[in-house]
Amino acid sequence: MSTSLPDNPATAPTARPAKRKLQPWQWVPYVFISPFFIIFAVFGVFPLLFSVYLAFHTWDPSLGMGAMQYVGFENFSFVLGDDWFQKSLYNTFWLSIVSGLPQHLVAIPLAYFLNTAFSRWRNAVTGLYFLPFITSTVAISLVFSSLFSRDFGVVNLVLTGLGHWSVFGIQPLSWLFPTTNVDWGRPEYTKWMISFVVFWRFVGWNTVLYMSALQTIPKDLYEAATMDGASKKQQFWYITLPLLKPMMFVAVTLTIIGNLQLFEEPFIITGGTGGIDQAGKTAAMHMYNTAFVDSDFGTASAIAWLLFVIIAALTWGNNKLFARKD
């Protein structure tokens, strides 16, 4: 009996490699990290994509999924022409600037002062400034609602006290401070009240951010500047501020994102109504009312994505501003 070998080894059939079985140590790590991705997909990715889908539909959830109707860009065109949305957007920008800008103008010199004036008690003092940030927004808003009460509020008590302060029968501060109680619920005062609460709550947060950046600046720079005769003011302007620029970008970006989504403080202070003439109603509040009061989730989704575009554009502009070389 004889066996014949194939003439051409290249055309000879090759044996298929045996399928390798995955060992437990190869797939078990993926099982361990899968809960995060599953939860993120369910509670993060799906709502995001569903809101995009909703923005092009009308839908009242009480009528079921069958009530969803495609309307194209009609929700977006309606929102852009809606007077209430325009007013809420104006209020949002107003509150963002009036409450956000002073946060940084105060936080930077305050962080510099805390970093240089306190050594042993620096962390304790910083913690006091940070305390409002970790306090419940509901508690803060309720406390300030009492402080700004027209008849019994401490704010009116202090302001009218200053207005009535008299020297030889003359009230020199009456032109600056009110002499009668201020009704903070009136439209011309509502935004000021909300802005003060937001400023008070977040100035400590920004102070901590700037303090963390200040502690990374080498002390050698200040020692060399001192030996060269630079004053403290010159050191602040020519060493501290330029080296704080990266942290300024981060802090301002967080302020833009947070203030344009302002919801809790104005919602609680105005009782969810926005106050008289909707003076304290923000875009986020308008979106909430559209979805959960009017049951118009399609329009609310369109508002959410328009707000996202505005925030993204301002963040891009902020990035360009701080990326510019001096």
Side-chain angles (χ1 to χ4, degrees):
M1 186 174 179
S2 63
T3 57
S4 61
L5 295 173
D7 297 336
N8 186 0
T11 58
T14 56
R16 298 180 62 184
K19 184 179 291 184
R20 195 179 59 170
K21 186 179 179 181
L22 285 176
Q23 299 300 320
W25 60 81
Q26 293 176 309
W27 55 265
V28 165
Y30 296 101
V31 175
F32 285 149
I33 65 174
S34 62
F36 164 77
F37 291 100
I38 294 173
I39 293 174
F40 179 71
V42 173
F43 296 102
V45 177
F46 172 73
L48 191 68
L49 297 178
F50 189 60
S51 69
V52 176
Y53 183 75
L54 269 181
F56 296 95
H57 292 75
T58 58
W59 184 47
D60 184 348
S62 63
L63 302 177
M65 296 296 291
M68 195 175 293
Q69 294 182 349
Y70 178 76
V71 293
F73 287 92
E74 187 177 317
N75 286 332
F76 290 95
S77 61
F78 170 76
V79 170
L80 291 174
D82 184 14
D83 293 338
W84 289 116
F85 172 72
Q86 293 172 6
K87 181 158 189 173
S88 68
L89 197 60
Y90 166 77
N91 292 338
T92 303
F93 279 114
W94 197 98
L95 292 171
S96 299
I97 295 172
V98 174
S99 68
L101 189 60
Q103 288 177 28
H104 299 275
L105 295 179
V106 171
I108 292 175
L110 180 61
Y112 182 77
F113 170 73
L114 293 178
N115 192 51
T116 54
F118 293 90
S119 55
R120 183 178 178 184
W121 299 101
R122 183 176 58 195
N123 292 336
V125 176
T126 306
L128 291 177
Y129 280 99
F130 192 70
L131 198 58
F133 181 73
I134 60 175
T135 305
S136 166
T137 307
V138 176
I140 290 173
S141 302
L142 291 176
V143 167
F144 273 94
S145 296
S146 301
L147 293 177
F148 280 99
S149 172
R150 185 186 64 179
D151 297 323
F152 307 105
V154 175
V155 176
N156 273 339
L157 184 66
V158 173
L159 293 179
T160 54
L162 291 172
H164 285 295
W165 181 61
S166 143
V167 179
F168 302 112
I170 301 174
Q171 297 176 346
L173 299 178
S174 60
W175 64 275
L176 183 60
F177 296 99
T179 54
T180 58
N181 287 345
V182 177
D183 184 1
W184 295 100
R186 291 173 59 184
E188 59 267 34
Y189 300 124
T190 302
K191 284 195 281 288
W192 288 105
M193 179 172 56
I194 297 171
S195 299
F196 180 79
V197 176
V198 175
F199 162 78
W200 180 83
R201 189 180 179 210
F202 289 97
V203 68
W205 159 257
N206 287 299
T207 301
V208 171
L209 288 181
Y210 289 124
M211 277 196 66
S212 65
L214 284 171
Q215 292 174 9
T216 64
I217 300 176
K219 296 186 183 304
D220 299 348
L221 296 176
Y222 293 105
E223 292 173 359
T226 303
M227 293 178 65
D228 289 339
S231 64
K232 291 290 184 184
K233 184 178 178 182
Q234 290 173 320
Q235 292 177 24
F236 179 76
W237 280 105
Y238 297 109
I239 296 177
T240 304
L241 279 183
L243 293 180
L244 277 181
K245 198 174 176 182
M247 183 53 75
M248 286 182 193
F249 165 70
V250 174
V252 172
T253 300
L254 292 177
T255 300
I256 290 173
I257 296 173
N259 282 7
L260 290 181
Q261 299 180 81
L262 200 60
F263 178 80
E264 295 172 332
E265 291 86 356
F267 187 86
I268 298 172
I269 289 174
T270 63
T273 63
I276 300 175
D277 196 28
Q278 311 284 302
K281 189 177 185 180
T282 62
M285 286 178 62
H286 185 64
M287 177 179 63
Y288 173 85
N289 288 332
T290 303
F292 297 102
V293 177
D294 301 334
S295 296
D296 187 355
F297 279 71
T299 305
S301 297
I303 295 172
W305 281 101
L306 286 173
L307 203 55
F308 168 78
V309 171
I310 294 171
I311 292 173
L314 291 177
T315 304
W316 176 81
N318 183 50
N319 183 30
K320 290 293 181 184
L321 181 67
F322 278 93
R324 198 173 54 184
K325 294 183 179 179
D326 296 330

